[in-house]
Amino acid sequence: MTLPDTLQLNAWTGGDNTGAVDPDLKRHLLGLPFAGQSRRLPAAPVPQDRWQDPKVGWGVILPENRELTRAELATAMDAPAPIRELVARRGDAPVFRVGQGWQPGTLRRYAPDGSAMDIDIHAGRIGMAPGHIPRYLLIVGSPAQIPWDVQYDLHLTYFTGRLDLDDTGLGHYVDALLSDWQGSPVMKANTLSWTVDHGGGDITTLMRKTIGDPIHDRFATDPVPELVAGARVVRGPQATQAALAAAIEERHPSLIVSTSHGDTAPLDDVDLMRRNLGLLIDADLRRLDPALLSGTAAPSGAIWFAQACCSAGSSARTAYDGVLKAGTAADRIVRAVAGCGETTAPLPRALLGASKPLRAFVGHVEPTFDWSLKNRKTGQYVTTSILECFHTGLFTGQPIGMALDRVRATGASFRNSRDIAEQRLLANRDESQLGDILAAKLIADDWRSIVLLGDPTCRVC
């Protein structure tokens, strides 16, 4: 059968619906190049786990330094020596600056000629080129220097971590990072779930049921035999700080997931509260002493997720203002925590800056709520994306910054649900939406404050 001269469409316009066959059709069907213009498919996107690719990229964020010239601000010359080495070893990676005049939605980059550009973080210009922002970003500095709000703003789109360590700690961490924890005893197939449960309606039971036990079950039933054999859980009355240290020393896990209260006492002594802030409370109601996790019990090379109040730090501006009745115990706690100011908690600082450093720490800024873990209408747990992050994401080779994107997406989804419920309330004066608004707000604000401490390019496998 020869090619027809014309074809007719099954379409109605009230007029002609025929068309001549393209003269290049024969060459196309025979697999020959077109005589006319070149027709190419779009380039394949670069996988987002390839942070070394300039179309994905890695960069560092430093505090604005008024003692430097604008041209010098384009470099990392004022950063601690370990960070300067890291920037150099990663191909003179781009340097961004955050100062007192930081505007949400932007990130400033200086050029060698002294010019400056405030780049829209929502514009989608990803990569290392001028006017772009790398997908992987490392904030270097305390939350007092570069506020948590900057990290919250960035980590919805960019894989963002933070290092708040002294020069010695930075040296330990960067040395380990650049060698990919060479010499660490970490066993990549080994995981540890340490989950406290005080019972009696305490929130620790809910945390065990929604995170502690399910994450262990994921590994204990995984199709990979090595992960099944490597899964270990320490729960309930056995979840003491001594048992935690012993399990780390015995197993050298690549992933530690802990659920417990985080210390916020005493409420009337801000300095002492700041020194103990977020330390994990064990089954014996004792706060975890970071000094126990040293030597052969150091979680060197591990990634740790701590579901606990203030496990990552505190913010001077609480997201829960107006949620709790003034004078109640919970209200006093969130206000006392805010009184600690913008700070990083002592446990991740100690572990990330140790001579045998942790690979990364994921935890909460501010207190957390029971409503952040369970849908009060359906009774379903809302922690699936956390399980997916630390099981499916990490153990298919994704960097921790990328794996956490699942958590970011869930938090953003709940923020959108809150907005919709608020719109319905305003439009219809339907007060039945109030519970939905509160639930969505608590989850969205809580999950936004789950932050990564450490470099976002770290992997467990």
Side-chain angles (χ1 to χ4, degrees), residues 136-158:
Y136 292 79
L137 294 169
L138 177 63
I139 298 171
V140 179
S142 71
Q145 296 171 303
I146 301 177
W148 290 119
D149 280 347
V150 176
Q151 194 161 353
Y152 297 162
D153 205 21
L154 289 169
H155 70 193
L156 287 173
T157 305
Y158 303 90

Side-chain angles (χ1 to χ4, degrees), residues 6 8 19 22 48 67 69 71 75 87 117 135 163 173 181 228 259 300 308 331 353 368 370 435 441 451 456:
T6 61
Q8 186 177 45
D22 190 317
Q48 294 301 289
E67 296 182 0
T69 67
T75 73
V87 170
M117 175 183 288
R135 182 70 79 186
L163 287 176
Y173 186 85
W181 275 262
V228 174
T259 69
S300 174
D331 179 67
T368 64
D370 51 354
K441 171 184 170 53
V451 297

Side-chain angles (χ1 to χ4, degrees), residues 81-128:
I83 298 301
R84 296 199 303 271
E85 180 184 3
L86 180 60
V87 170
R89 292 275 295 273
R90 290 188 166 180
D92 288 322
V95 176
F96 299 87
R97 298 283 178 167
V98 170
Q100 291 183 347
W102 171 74
Q103 294 296 315
T106 65
L107 198 56
R108 176 166 293 183
R109 183 176 180 181
Y110 289 90
D113 64 4
S115 61
M117 175 183 288
D118 287 333
I119 306 172
D120 188 330
I121 69 173
H122 309 295
R125 294 166 62 86
I126 305 296
M128 306 277 277

Side-chain angles (χ1 to χ4, degrees), residues 312-336:
S314 65
S315 172
R317 181 177 54 83
T318 177
Y320 307 120
D321 191 30
V323 171
L324 299 162
K325 184 178 180 180
T328 60
D331 179 67
R332 293 198 307 272
I333 291 171
V334 297
R335 294 186 185 280

Side-chain angles (χ1 to χ4, degrees), residues 232-256:
R232 172 76 178 274
V233 62
V234 180
R235 66 164 67 93
Q238 285 73 45
T240 64
Q241 57 178 323
L244 174 61
I248 292 173
E249 183 172 7
E250 175 192 353
R251 309 286 295 177
H252 300 296
S254 64
L255 174 67
I256 302 169

Side-chain angles (χ1 to χ4, degrees), residues 256-302:
I256 302 169
V257 174
S258 61
T259 69
S260 68
H261 287 298
D263 196 2
T264 56
L267 297 181
D268 58 353
D269 189 335
V270 173
D271 291 335
L272 184 55
M273 181 193 289
R274 191 181 290 117
R275 288 198 296 272
N276 294 331
L277 186 69
L279 292 178
L280 310 184
I281 304 299
D282 75 357
D284 294 333
L285 299 178
R286 295 178 179 175
R287 68 173 65 96
L288 175 64
D289 181 1
L292 286 177
L293 304 181
S294 60
T296 55
S300 174

